[in-house]
């Protein structure tokens, strides 16, 4: 839990390297806000991450 009590904002977090980064940060205990090109893709990514880390704090936003 090296990132406990830290907040990460990840752009492009709904897929690819951004999604993998969000996953790793959650694994290390961070709170994650991921930004995506659409709210739908942000919501899908958040749902996947919450399924894997049910106690984590993660949110998704889009422009």
């Amino acid at each position: 839990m090296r990132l406990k009590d830290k907040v990460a904002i990840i752009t492009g977090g709904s897929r690819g390297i951004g999604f993998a980064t969000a996953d790793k940060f959650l694994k290390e205990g961070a709170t994650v806000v991921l930004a995506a090109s659409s709210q739908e893709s942000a919501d899908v990514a958040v749902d996947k991450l919450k399924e894997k880390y049910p106690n984590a704090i993660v949110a998704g936003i889009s422009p």
Side-chain angles (χ1 to χ4, degrees):
M1 292 280 189
R2 297 182 304 181
L3 299 177
K4 188 175 187 299
D5 300 324
K6 302 291 183 187
V7 177
I9 300 171
I10 302 170
T11 58
S14 65
R15 58 189 162 152
I17 294 170
F19 184 83
T21 302
D23 184 274
K24 183 67 172 178
F25 281 23
L26 288 169
K27 182 178 179 181
E28 293 296 330
T31 295
V32 171
V33 177
L34 60 88
S37 58
S38 73
Q39 191 60 48
E40 182 180 353
S41 62
D43 293 341
V44 169
V46 167
D47 289 344
K48 287 180 185 178
L49 292 167
K50 283 187 175 182
E51 187 176 310
K52 189 170 181 179
Y53 304 102
N55 296 324
I57 301 172
V58 58
I61 60 171
S62 69

